[in-house]
């Protein structure tokens, strides 16, 4: 029995598209104008927008809705002059927001799309408030990976790092991380507002149902609907399936084997109990199922080095939307792009230390956002590095951990790393010997850093003056921040997705043509968050891209384009009557 369980795949088995002559060839069990596959932030935004455009909407979700959005911190990256920025005393403009984001987006979307995202940022935040989400202007006193309760506006990216600034557009960087007002992690509160609004807008939902293939019209290539496997209502195993989703969300971080066993049990229920149906999309299908971080095969193919990391996402983040899009000619892009979150703040003084590679060389400004440090660590240093602090910084960090109001997930690992795990050295030379580094190389890092702290030179990595620290002798402590450090898990999240038409969110084929009747949003699609992750940028893109896809899907067919006949991918004979 245990061996059989080990071989149950948790991945939704997406098949080749079912090709038919016309919609009349299928016995549809249900129909809607727009069918949204995946009910996270992007799917909810698409559904609400499509309803506001007058379309009849059906939302399908493998579980009960929420996906990675409900597990998130509930931070929305917004700027350009939000009311909360103004209340906190900051000036911002769409131009300044765009200028900063160009450093993070790295051309993954066009400059026009990025500018539009920034221009619409205030309106999208206002739209979220109309759906029931609330925000506030209170800020933490220091740079943090996630603000404490009562603090809801913060620098969630690299805005305060000198290299990312643009004095011509803004004299002072503006905070753009807008955390939804809630106690604890805000993701559940954020999604609850969108979930309630989805239903209030009149969208119908079909939960505990997994979409396993698309239905396509042969002569036009148009997507007609989906094949879905649905669990029967009222069955005890269906209720168990729902409960497993809740349990896995609790187990996923600290009881990974137990969580994986829960995913296998849920998949077993789906395969044994599911009833196959066909659902017609009169206008379009929107794919919004999240990323692919829990698809081991895709990770092996595109990002094997990241597999030892702390996989971040929901059970449904198995690349279902990506694979459905690819089944009809959609093109995956940047699938190798994984965000690795190596946050070393808080404690807020840790970035005053030095981060070095295995050779003892600094390779990154320590004050950068965690995903930037994680990128440099994983892509250029083989996933191995050390953070070095001295006794003074350790005392300051310990005080903040004990009395600074940090979250337990921030303070407890930091204390353990400093007092239980760190390698102690009586001097630079002694530390270098223990870390098997060239003492002369490591000493040069300290000499250059100290000179910068004294104002005698610029910091070689561009660290701002307030984050420089002079090491004046005494004990040093080296903290292993490698991906292999189990006491300090490195969270990883997939960013690549389907290529889309940036004007309307339509999935495009290898020739750059819109696939008729098919759209994608959120992490299923390439968007502003698909290059470098910044806290809040993914949820903001879910709203931006979700609304874009929902609006276009609702208007699908008003200007139809006939495409050349496509080669069949599945035979009509496989349709169940």
């Amino acid at each position: 029995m245990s061996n059989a369980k080990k071989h149950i795949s948790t991945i939704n088995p997406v098949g080749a598209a079912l090709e038919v002559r016309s919609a009349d060839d299928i016995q549809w069990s249900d129909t809607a104008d727009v069918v949204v596959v995946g009910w996270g932030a992007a799917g909810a935004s698409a559904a609400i927008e499509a309803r506001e455009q007058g379309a009849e909407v059906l939302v399908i979700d493998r579980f009960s809705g929420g996906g990675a959005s409900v597990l998130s911190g509930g931070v929305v990256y917004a700027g350009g002059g939000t009311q909360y920025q103004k209340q906190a005393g900051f000036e911002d403009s769409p131009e300044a927001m765009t200028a900063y984001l160009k450093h993070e987006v790295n051309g993954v979307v066009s400059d026009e799309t990025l500018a539009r995202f920034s221009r619409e940022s205030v309106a999208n935040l206002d739209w979220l408030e109309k759906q029931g989400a609330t925000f506030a202007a209170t800020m933490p006193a220091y740079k943090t990976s996630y603000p404490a309760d009562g603090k809801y506006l913060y620098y969630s990216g690299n805005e305060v790092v000198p290299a990312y600034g643009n004095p011509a557009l803004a004299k002072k960087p503006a905070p753009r991380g807008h955390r939804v007002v809630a106690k604890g992690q805000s993701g559940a509160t954020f999604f609850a507002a969108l979930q309630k609004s989805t239903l209030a807008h009149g969208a119908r939902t079909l939960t505990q149902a997994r979409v396993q293939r698309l239905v396509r019209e042969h002569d036009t290539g148009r997507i007609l609907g989906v094949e879905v496997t649905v669990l029967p209502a009222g069955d005890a195993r269906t209720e168990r399936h729902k409960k497993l989703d809740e349990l896995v969300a609790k187990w996923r971080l600290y009881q990974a084997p137990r969580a994986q066993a829960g995913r296998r049990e849920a998949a077993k229920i789906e395969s044994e109990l599911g009833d196959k149906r066909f659902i017609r999309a009169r206008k379009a299908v929107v794919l919004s199922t999240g990323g692919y971080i829990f698809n081991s095969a895709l990770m092996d193919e595109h990002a094997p080095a990241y597999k030892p990391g702390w996989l971040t996402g929901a059970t449904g983040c198995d690349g279902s939307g990506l694979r459905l899009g690819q089944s009809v000619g959609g093109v995956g892009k940047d699938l190798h792009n994984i965000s690795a979150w190596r946050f070393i703040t808080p404690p807020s003084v840790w970035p005053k230390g030095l981060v070095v590679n295995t050779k003892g060389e600094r390779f990154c400004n320590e004050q950068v956002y965690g995903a930037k440090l994680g990128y440099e660590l994983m892509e250029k240093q083989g996933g191995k590095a050390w953070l070095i602090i001295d006794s003074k910084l350790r005392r300051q960090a310990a005080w903040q951990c004990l009395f600074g109001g940090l979250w337990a997930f921030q303070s407890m690992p930091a204390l353990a790393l400093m007092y239980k795990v760190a390698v102690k050295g009586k001097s630079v030379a002694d530390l270098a010997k223990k870390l098997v580094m060239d003492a002369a190389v490591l000493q040069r890092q300290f000499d250059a850093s100290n000179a910068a702290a004294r104002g005698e030179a610029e910091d070689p990595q561009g660290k701002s003056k307030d984050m420089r620290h002079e090491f004046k002798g005494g004990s040093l402590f080296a903290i292993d921040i490698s991906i292999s450090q189990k006491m300090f898990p490195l969270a990883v999240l997939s960013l690549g997705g389907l290529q889309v038409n940036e004007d309307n969110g339509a999935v495009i084929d290898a020739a750059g043509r819109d696939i008729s009747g098919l759209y994608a949003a959120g992490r299923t699609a390439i968007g502003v968050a698909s290059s470098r992750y910044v806290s809040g940028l993914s949820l903001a893109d879910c709203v931006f891209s979700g609304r874009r896809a929902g609006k276009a899907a609702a208007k699908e067919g008003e200007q139809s384009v006939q495409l050349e006949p496509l080669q069949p991918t599945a035979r009509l004979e496989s349709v169940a009557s």
Side-chain angles (χ1 to χ4, degrees), residues 466-486:
D466 63 310
M467 295 305 294
R468 299 174 189 177
H469 172 71
E470 185 176 5
F471 293 81
K472 296 182 178 181
S475 296
L476 297 170
F477 303 90
I479 299 168
D480 184 3
I481 62 171
S482 305
I483 189 173
S484 59
Q485 175 54 263
K486 300 302 181 184

Side-chain angles (χ1 to χ4, degrees), residues 37-280:
V37 184
W39 194 14
S45 298
I48 294 167
E49 184 65 36
R51 284 295 297 142
E52 290 181 346
Q53 298 296 323
E56 182 186 357
V57 177
L58 176 64
V59 185
I60 304 173
D61 195 87
R62 184 177 175 183
F63 295 98
S64 300
S69 300
V70 79
L71 304 177
S72 75
V75 178
V76 178
Y77 194 89
T82 70
Q83 61 174 307
Y84 305 104
Q85 289 178 313
K86 294 174 182 177
Q87 289 174 24
F90 292 92
E91 294 182 0
D92 197 12
S93 67
E95 292 75 21
M97 182 177 175
T98 299
Y100 164 71
L101 284 176
K102 280 187 177 181
H103 293 284
E104 310 289 7
V105 169
N106 296 306
V108 73
V109 296
S110 69
D111 288 349
E112 292 78 12
T113 296
L114 181 58
R116 184 166 68 251
F117 173 79
S118 298
R119 286 196 308 271
E120 295 177 3
S121 182
V122 171
N124 278 330
L125 198 71
D126 291 344
W127 183 85
L128 280 172
E129 291 195 296
K130 291 178 182 177
Q131 313 315 316
T134 57
F135 302 91
T138 50
M139 291 187 64
Y142 50 83
K143 174 71 174 171
T144 179
S145 60
Y146 190 74
D149 277 347
K151 307 298 181 182
Y152 299 105
L153 178 67
Y154 73 120
Y155 290 104
S156 64
N158 289 299
E159 296 87 357
V160 299
V161 179
Y164 289 78
N166 192 325
L169 292 174
K171 295 180 181 179
K172 183 179 180 181
R176 301 191 182 101
H178 290 65
R179 176 188 164 204
V180 170
V181 174
K183 288 186 177 180
Q185 299 284 294
S186 298
T189 301
F190 168 79
F191 181 72
L194 287 176
Q195 186 176 44
K196 184 177 180 180
S197 183
T198 301
L199 300 174
H201 273 78
R204 294 185 295 115
T205 60
L206 180 62
T207 56
Q208 293 179 278
R210 59 183 189 182
V211 174
Q212 295 185 271
R213 58 177 169 173
L214 297 172
V215 180
R216 180 171 67 174
E217 189 173 54
H218 174 262
D219 288 343
T220 65
R222 178 178 179 78
I223 304 305
L224 300 176
V226 300
E227 179 186 308
V228 59
T229 301
V230 186
L231 296 185
D235 190 285
R237 295 184 71 190
T238 299
E239 292 304 311
R240 173 62 177 170
H241 180 270
K242 183 177 182 180
K243 185 63 177 178
L244 282 167
D245 185 38
E246 300 172 2
L247 292 173
V248 167
K250 295 178 181 178
W251 298 334
R252 64 193 174 90
L253 297 181
Y254 301 106
Q255 300 181 66
R258 193 177 185 186
Q260 186 63 4
R263 294 187 191 100
R264 286 196 297 267
E265 184 181 348
K268 187 173 187 290
I269 293 172
E270 292 168 346
S271 63
E272 293 179 353
L273 203 61
D275 175 45
K276 185 166 68 175
R277 304 178 191 173
F278 292 93
I279 297 177
R280 175 85 165 95

Side-chain angles (χ1 to χ4, degrees), residues 307-323:
K307 289 191 72 176
W310 207 358
L311 306 183
T312 302
T315 300
C317 294
D318 65 356
S320 290
L322 167 68
R323 290 177 287 129

Side-chain angles (χ1 to χ4, degrees), residues 392-432:
K392 180 179 180 180
L393 293 179
R394 189 172 75 153
R395 285 194 303 271
Q396 293 173 341
W399 187 95
Q400 189 178 30
C401 288
L402 294 171
F403 309 110
L406 302 185
W407 295 96
F409 71 81
Q410 296 168 333
S411 61
M412 298 305 290
L415 288 169
L417 288 165
M418 290 188 293
Y419 289 93
K420 295 291 185 180
V421 178
V423 176
K424 181 179 179 180
K426 294 178 292 186
S427 64
V428 173
D430 183 43
L431 188 65

Side-chain angles (χ1 to χ4, degrees), residues 15 89 105 293 309 319 379 405 486 561:
V105 169
I293 200 70
E379 294 296 324
K486 300 302 181 184
V561 178

Side-chain angles (χ1 to χ4, degrees), residues 25 61 91 105 111 172 175 177 181 217 272 289 315 367 381-382 414 436 456 465 504-505 513 520 536 544:
D25 290 337
D61 195 87
E91 294 182 0
V105 169
D111 288 349
K172 183 179 180 181
V181 174
E217 189 173 54
E272 293 179 353
T289 65
T315 300
Q367 72 181 115
Q381 306 301 329
V436 194
E456 299 168 1
K465 293 181 180 179
N504 58 15
R513 303 175 302 178
F544 172 76

